[in-house]
Amino acid sequence: GENVEQHPSTLSVQEGDSAVIKCTYSDSASNYFPWYKQELGKRPQLIIDIRSNVGEKKDQRIAVTLNKTAKHFSLHITETQPEDSAVYFCAASLGPYYGGSQGNLIFGKGTKLSVKP
Amino acid sequence: GAVVSQHPSRVICKSGTSVKIECRSLDFQATTMFWYRQFPKQSLMLMATSNEGSKATYEQGVEKDKFLINHASLTLSTLTVTSAHPEDSSFYICSADAIAGFEQYFGPGTRLTVT
């Protein structure tokens, strides 16, 4: 089955700096890669996602890159702010069309991001 | 946007009792609902996948007789933790995805504490 590795487990940056979180996946059939932000005791919130037919996607200060050949994808946050502090999870999925059923999300172990003012 | 609710948000029960958690998609029909468990400072671990009208598919290591899942309609799935023990204390989160959709929409989670 799919296995998702996420690094680093903790990341501390100064406000205004950039933060990069990297994930690798094992199943080349995976084709959907979302990133979630989770604050303590709350539900994961989707912040950006990318499908395998795209190499990069950007939304304001957040961008995701995907390298299908190397089977890795990364989250880039620029101009970090204290409110970006949270745990970030990457995930991989086969997507809804695989085998006619909905694809399960397999999560990485998470990265605790701390942005210091 | 798509909204998923979960009830209750918190529950405390005694060891040996059963607890039912409901997951509802409020403004869309969900072909598939997913149940996750999250221990403190850990990632979300998929427990099972449920499709409306059929038996749930459990992940390896998850006891199907202990964690009963019923997906009665396209908007409701329930997870019943039977004969709960303190080690079952965790944050349980459901998610749902719309028909033929990629994105999963998460419920707010249920904090279960077994004493």
Side-chain angles (χ1 to χ4, degrees):
Chain A
E2 176 65 278
N3 182 52
V4 177
E5 299 283 341
Q6 184 172 346
H7 297 281
S9 57
T10 59
L11 180 59
S12 182
V13 299
Q14 286 294 133
E15 182 177 1
D17 287 350
S18 295
V20 180
I21 303 171
K22 298 182 179 182
C23 288
T24 61
Y25 60 99
S26 60
D27 191 341
S28 57
S30 290
N31 63 1
Y32 175 61
F33 307 93
W35 285 89
Y36 292 89
K37 175 183 180 182
Q38 188 180 29
E39 296 175 349
L40 190 63
K42 296 189 177 180
R43 79 183 85 191
Q45 296 278 4
L46 179 70
I47 56 172
I48 196 166
D49 57 11
I50 192 167
R51 299 186 192 181
S52 59
N53 59 346
V54 177
E56 184 174 356
K57 184 176 177 181
K58 189 173 181 180
D59 182 4
Q60 299 183 346
R61 297 186 298 110
I62 296 173
V64 56
T65 58
L66 171 65
N67 184 326
K68 285 180 61 180
T69 303
K71 289 189 282 189
H72 66 69
F73 55 112
S74 300
L75 176 71
H76 304 253
I77 306 174
T78 58
E79 301 172 30
T80 54
Q81 301 166 3
E83 50 266 38
D84 293 330
S85 297
V87 178
Y88 291 80
F89 293 98
C90 64
S93 166
L94 295 169
Y97 303 110
Y98 182 79
S101 62
Q102 299 288 353
N104 303 336
L105 279 175
I106 303 302
F107 283 84
K109 292 190 182 299
T111 297
K112 183 176 181 180
L113 173 64
S114 300
V115 181
K116 298 179 180 178
Chain B
V3 179
V4 175
S5 70
Q6 236 176 290
H7 180 79
S9 58
R10 290 179 179 270
V11 58
I12 300 173
C13 71
K14 292 186 177 181
S15 186
T17 61
S18 296
V19 174
K20 180 186 283 188
I21 303 169
E22 289 188 351
C23 177
R24 293 181 184 272
S25 56
L26 298 185
D27 53 0
F28 67 101
Q29 291 186 328
T31 308
T32 305
M33 288 185 169
F34 304 86
W35 287 96
Y36 297 86
R37 180 167 52 184
Q38 186 177 34
F39 292 109
K41 299 185 180 180
Q42 293 189 24
S43 187
L44 288 83
M45 298 300 297
L46 180 66
M47 298 175 66
T49 304
S50 74
N51 291 290
E52 183 263 339
S54 61
K55 290 184 179 180
T57 302
Y58 289 83
E59 294 299 297
Q60 194 171 10
V62 178
E63 299 175 58
K64 62 180 181 181
D65 294 330
K66 179 172 181 63
F67 299 99
L68 301 178
I69 292 172
N70 183 276
H71 194 151
S73 73
L74 285 172
T75 59
L76 173 64
S77 177
T78 60
L79 168 68
T80 301
V81 183
T82 63
S83 187
H85 291 286
E87 55 265 33
D88 298 324
S89 298
S90 186
F91 192 49
Y92 291 85
I93 309 177
C94 71
S95 70
D97 48 12
I99 295 171
F102 280 83
E103 185 177 344
Q104 287 187 23
Y105 305 95
F106 284 86
T110 296
R111 175 75 58 191
L112 171 63
T113 303
V114 184
T115 61

